[in-house]
Amino acid sequence: MSVKPNGLARAAVRFKPASFAGTFVALMMSALIVAACGVLLETGLRASVPAERYANAPVVAAADQSARVVADTVDGPEETAYPLPDTARVDAGLAAKAAEVPGAATAVADFTFPVHGGAAASGGLTGHGWGSHAFTGTALSKGAAPHPGEVVLGADAARAARLGVGDTVALETAAGSAAFRVSGLAEAGAGDTAGEGAVGGGTAWFADAEASVLAGHPGKADAVAVLAEEGVDTDALAAAVSKALTGSGAQVLTGDDRGEVEDHGLAYAKETLFAVGGSFGGIATLVAVFTAAGTVALSVGQRTREFALLRAVGATPRQIRRAVAAEALLVAPLAGLLGCLPGIGLAHWWFGQMQDRGAVPDAVDLHVSGFPLLAAVGVGLLTALGAGWAAGRRPARIKPGQALAEASVERLRPGVVRTVLGLAAVGGGSALAGVAASAAGSDAANASLGVVMLFMLAVALLGPVLARLCAALFGLLLRGGGASASLAAANSRTNARRLASAINPIVLAMAFASTLVFMHTSESHVASEQLREGVTADHVVTNPAGLPADAADRAARAPGVDAAVSLLNTQVLVPVRGGGETSLQGTATQGVSGSGAQLAKVQDLDVREGSLDRVGPGRIAIDRTLATATDVGLGDKLSLYLPDGTKAAPQVVAVYGRGLGLPAVTMDRASLDGHVTSAFADTLLVSGGDAEPLTALGEVTDASGYALAQNVDREFGAWANYMMAAVLGGFAAVAPVNTLVMTVLDRRRELHTLRLVGSTRRQVLRMLGWESLLVSAAGVALGTAIAMITLTPMMRGLTGEFPHVPPLLYAAFAATAGALALASVTLPARTALRDRGA
């Protein structure tokens, strides 16, 4: 056999493929995770939707649909954009300026808003200005264009309501209820059809002169669509419009950028994809690298005796190191390439699931390129090289005789550097746990992420020491289990490194899966309790198309009703400090129609300070967790962005405790006027009276039914957490299986020796069963400890409560770990014992 490094590597892979099978599987799974998350991340960075409503308007001027925060960093000022909860609008007068630009055929101020149609549409209508027909393709089929006080109805809506030209229809908009004369009927063009149904089931067009008032935003337009004269270049027209609108705050958009004005879901889709592919992908990549490195190190460590023999016959330390590197070059690229294929499949499935749940618009396509696949292969190769170098460093440099001795008997004392680094990781994790315990909100969550990572690093570095301690502790219990159990305890004590390599992946799987899943169960448990206790109304009325503007007054006049309050649910952006930086946090907000005294009859917000009676123009109530995160107290002003991006600084007049199950910000309904697309409340809380008189307003349920519906709305968050836990936990679960199989196959000589000295096959298998029980119990215990150390300060900061761990779910995790460990040990052991007729 050649002693050249490449020859050594090829011979090792060729003649002992089983030694590399586990490494191959670990690197392949690592590439799968990295590739899948990389594809989703790249899709998030490149995501776009084609223009539909503005498909025939080559240039669109619209407001920036993001709020931006500038932070000072080491590299200078850094700007971060946060998508607005609602549409930011521009001055409708910009259409006149844009129309005067050379090359512009016309410019139209565009409006889209909900309309309650009465007899014209049971589900409501979508309102537009008639001028938009110039770029949407809508055409009159009867009658004439509308003047103020008139409306053009979609042919389908008019037919359903049995209305014709000249008839009068009562419509309700943000400006109130009014009677409109039907001036014409129209067939909706492609541009209007694309948006039809977003708010209601039909379409109505009003005179441009009054459309902004009816929309509830006088003088403001959603966007300005600029049409080009024949032969005019789009880029040239866009440049001219941009110059004409300088200083107006409007952005000039072309191509697919126009689609972002139409579909605000794209911005949130980008955030979701970036969170999954970037934030979660980073954690998953670390876990994959961590696990693959452990498997490579185990594979190299199992061949310490071979390296010692090679040193004895003249191989130099450099040749040993180069041989290990050559093995990585032979195994890692192929494993990475094979892992990329199922990685792309996982990304496709994951992306499709997010689209099915409405988190990503259907028009967004998954983007697959060579960059994430190259990164996946590269990460695997670097991991194999690094882990192989670290594991082969000692057997390559020590004397051959000493290497043979260490290959026969495990070293009891861990390396000094490894011990120091492990203790430093423990100290760092403990310090961060203390920081997380004293922090709140996002600070607690950010610190807790560091806690789990540092403790996992400590387990990896101090694995042999922890394994020896676990073996000693569980060995006391195993002594009463007979000869097989005692032998298992003795084996575990004398082979701590081998035990540690089996325990570490289980710790990894248990810690990360428990943290992700029980973080959600804890938040969901607290939110559900707060929602159940917070909604004290006897009846809850909801309507997807929005409730009539006078819904609260009509309900209050019903017999026996004590209080009726309508709620407009939306979001505001609140600046919070986290990790030394300011970010904008989307915060659930309710605009209430009644007084604080009326609200107290239908909602129990658990007021801790101040009074809800003072909530009104410029005065709000907030949840205590938000107050802590923003460092704002009673009487202070809270800076925030209203749904359309308008800055405000209302005074805090009350602080309450149920902002997780109920909205974290409570303000008067009038403060939201002009800052939301829909002027209609979506929820009505009624105390007293019967349900029957309320059915004309919408769907009526009780508080428990409403709480159940709200919990269903959180399903995507739950699914996302469980999905990430499944991907991470599933990968981490493969690691202990892989490691245990490698370990058992490496012990074939030991198992056959036990048979030769008189042990029966059953006794050997029972011994291995006890060992697998010890491995799984130690892994579950350490993983649980890390998860609880991580979750406790995080949940105390986020919810003020301790983690909620469903017993059956935890038992399922522990049982799965035990079953995997047992199967991973007994199945290859049976094969190994059968090989020589043992």
Side-chain angles (χ1 to χ4, degrees):
M1 181 184 68
S2 172
V3 294
K4 292 182 179 180
N6 289 343
L8 292 175
R10 287 197 300 269
V13 175
R14 179 180 178 185
F15 294 106
K16 299 192 66 176
S19 299
F20 296 91
T23 300
F24 188 89
V25 171
L27 292 174
M28 185 176 71
M29 294 296 294
S30 170
L32 185 156
I33 294 292
V34 176
C37 292
V39 168
L40 293 177
L41 175 60
E42 185 176 15
T43 299
L45 295 174
R46 295 174 178 265
S48 63
V49 293
E52 293 183 337
R53 179 167 178 78
Y54 299 123
N56 295 324
V59 176
V60 173
D64 186 0
Q65 301 302 312
S66 300
R68 301 179 183 273
V69 174
V70 179
D72 292 327
T73 65
V74 178
D75 299 325
E78 183 176 311
E79 185 180 73
T80 305
Y82 298 87
L84 296 174
D86 211 311
T87 302
R89 294 171 176 83
V90 295
D91 185 352
L94 295 180
K97 289 186 178 181
E100 295 174 356
V101 168
T106 187
V108 180
D110 189 36
F111 314 91
T112 300
F113 52 95
V115 178
H116 275 190
S122 58
L125 297 167
T126 300
H128 297 295
W130 175 249
S132 63
H133 79 282
F135 59 84
T136 61
T138 295
L140 285 167
S141 57
K142 289 183 181 180
H147 291 91
E150 295 180 335
V151 63
V152 170
L153 291 177
D156 291 341
R159 192 161 40 248
R162 297 181 180 179
L163 294 171
V165 175
D167 292 339
T168 300
V169 60
L171 299 175
E172 185 178 15
T173 65
S177 296
F180 292 84
R181 177 182 175 274
V182 179
S183 67
L185 305 180
E187 295 291 342
D192 280 323
T193 304
E196 191 174 279
V199 179
T203 311
W205 293 268
F206 300 87
D208 289 329
E210 65 177 355
S212 65
V213 176
L214 299 177
H217 316 101
K220 297 288 185 180
D222 295 348
V224 173
V226 184
L227 279 66
E229 293 180 347
E230 187 175 353
V232 174
D233 179 70
T234 298
D235 292 337
L237 178 60
V241 172
S242 180
K243 183 178 180 180
L245 302 186
T246 299
S248 66
Q251 295 181 330
V252 178
L253 309 170
T254 60
D256 284 349
D257 290 340
R258 297 169 297 168
E260 294 194 44
V261 180
E262 300 176 21
D263 193 341
H264 294 287
L266 179 61
Y268 289 100
K270 287 184 174 182
E271 277 198 342
T272 301
L273 290 168
F274 187 81
V276 173
S279 302
F280 170 71
I283 297 172
T285 299
L286 288 176
V287 172
V289 168
F290 178 87
T291 305
T295 306
V296 172
L298 175 62
S299 175
V300 174
Q302 287 179 339
R303 290 179 290 126
T304 302
R305 185 179 185 83
E306 296 174 21
F307 293 140
L309 289 173
L310 289 171
R311 292 278 286 115
V313 297
T316 65
R318 184 183 179 189
Q319 286 176 321
I320 298 296
R321 289 194 295 269
R322 288 184 61 189
V324 172
E327 290 170 3
L329 290 173
L330 289 174
V331 175
L334 180 58
L337 289 173
L338 290 180
C340 286
L341 296 178
I344 295 173
L346 175 61
H348 270 283
W349 180 84
W350 203 339
F351 184 78
Q353 291 293 308
M354 287 191 282
Q355 283 189 321
D356 291 344
R357 286 167 171 78
V360 177
D362 291 337
V364 177
D365 295 323
L366 187 70
H367 190 90
V368 180
S369 73
F371 293 108
L373 309 184
L374 183 62
V377 175
V379 166
L381 179 58
L382 292 176
T383 299
L385 288 171
W389 175 84
R393 185 165 167 266
R394 181 173 178 81
R397 74 181 184 191
I398 64 175
K399 296 178 180 180
Q402 186 180 355
L404 285 170
E406 289 192 2
S408 302
V409 180
E410 183 180 280
R411 281 191 307 137
L412 296 178
R413 190 179 66 180
V416 176
V417 175
R418 185 169 181 164
T419 302
V420 171
L421 291 177
L423 292 176
V426 171
S430 302
L432 270 182
V435 170
S438 60
S442 59
D443 281 340
N446 293 335
S448 296
L449 177 61
V451 173
V452 69
M453 297 304 296
L454 283 172
F455 275 113
M456 281 307 310
L457 179 61
V459 169
L461 293 170
L462 301 176
V465 176
L466 293 173
R468 194 168 285 117
L469 291 174
C470 290
L473 177 62
F474 289 104
L476 295 175
L477 302 176
L478 291 179
R479 287 179 183 177
S484 297
S486 298
L487 185 57
N491 261 333
S492 301
R493 285 195 302 271
T494 55
N495 293 280
R497 291 181 182 274
R498 185 177 69 195
L499 182 65
S501 66
I503 289 176
N504 285 350
I506 296 179
V507 175
L508 184 77
M510 196 70 187
F512 275 104
S514 296
T515 299
L516 285 171
V517 172
F518 298 142
M519 176 177 67
H520 170 73
T521 59
S522 300
E523 288 183 334
S524 181
H525 177 72
V526 173
S528 297
E529 282 193 342
Q530 290 187 4
L531 184 59
R532 283 196 304 270
E533 296 170 358
V535 179
T536 58
D538 297 305
H539 312 291
V540 181
V541 185
T542 57
N543 192 328
L547 295 165
D550 61 347
D553 293 335
R554 288 165 60 181
R557 292 194 295 267
V561 170
D562 185 36
V565 177
S566 63
L567 307 177
L568 174 61
N569 292 298
T570 184
Q571 281 192 339
V572 297
L573 296 180
V574 180
V576 296
R577 296 284 295 177
E581 297 182 357
T582 299
S583 60
L584 296 181
Q585 174 182 299
T587 305
T589 301
Q590 60 179 6
V592 300
S593 65
S595 65
Q598 290 177 311
L599 181 63
K601 293 180 180 180
V602 293
Q603 264 189 0
D604 181 4
L605 290 172
D606 185 24
V607 177
R608 306 291 179 86
E609 299 178 79
S611 172
L612 294 176
D613 290 339
R614 296 191 59 204
V615 172
R619 300 186 300 275
I620 63 173
I622 64 173
D623 174 61
R624 62 185 178 87
T625 304
L626 181 62
T628 303
T630 56
D631 194 23
V632 169
L634 194 66
D636 295 335
K637 290 185 178 294
L638 176 65
S639 298
L640 53 80
Y641 293 84
L642 293 172
D644 65 346
T646 302
K647 291 183 178 181
Q651 183 184 29
V652 176
V653 296
V655 178
Y656 52 87
R658 293 199 173 114
L660 189 60
L662 298 171
V665 174
T666 298
M667 60 174 59
D668 72 308
R669 172 67 186 79
S671 296
L672 293 172
D673 283 343
H675 302 291
V676 290
T677 296
S678 175
F680 304 112
D682 45 39
T683 305
L684 177 66
L685 303 180
V686 181
S687 175
D690 296 326
E692 186 176 352
L694 305 175
T695 55
L697 301 175
E699 182 180 352
V700 183
T701 184
D702 56 14
S704 60
Y706 175 70
L708 179 61
Q710 295 297 101
N711 288 333
V712 170
D713 290 340
R714 298 191 181 97
E715 282 186 356
F716 178 75
W719 175 84
N721 268 16
Y722 283 121
M723 181 64 194
M724 289 187 287
V727 171
L728 203 58
F731 168 71
V734 172
V737 171
N738 192 27
T739 301
L740 288 169
V741 170
M742 291 175 62
T743 303
V744 171
L745 292 177
D746 187 59
R747 296 172 62 188
R748 282 176 292 188
R749 180 178 298 179
E750 173 192 334
L751 300 181
H752 286 295
T753 301
L754 288 173
R755 291 285 286 118
L756 289 174
V757 298
S759 299
T760 65
R761 185 194 302 265
R762 183 178 181 184
Q763 287 175 325
V764 174
L765 291 175
R766 287 185 64 186
M767 177 200 73
L768 292 173
W770 283 113
E771 286 186 14
S772 68
L773 177 63
L774 190 155
V775 166
S776 58
V780 168
L782 289 173
T784 301
I786 292 174
M788 294 309 296
I789 292 172
T790 303
L791 283 171
T792 300
M794 181 192 295
M795 289 301 104
R796 292 291 293 174
L798 291 175
T799 67
E801 304 287 342
F802 286 100
H804 175 70
V805 181
L808 291 179
L809 188 56
Y810 177 78
F813 281 6
T816 300
L820 285 174
L822 182 62
S824 304
V825 167
T826 55
L827 293 179
R830 288 179 182 276
T831 303
L833 290 172
R834 192 165 49 242
D835 283 346
R836 299 181 185 177

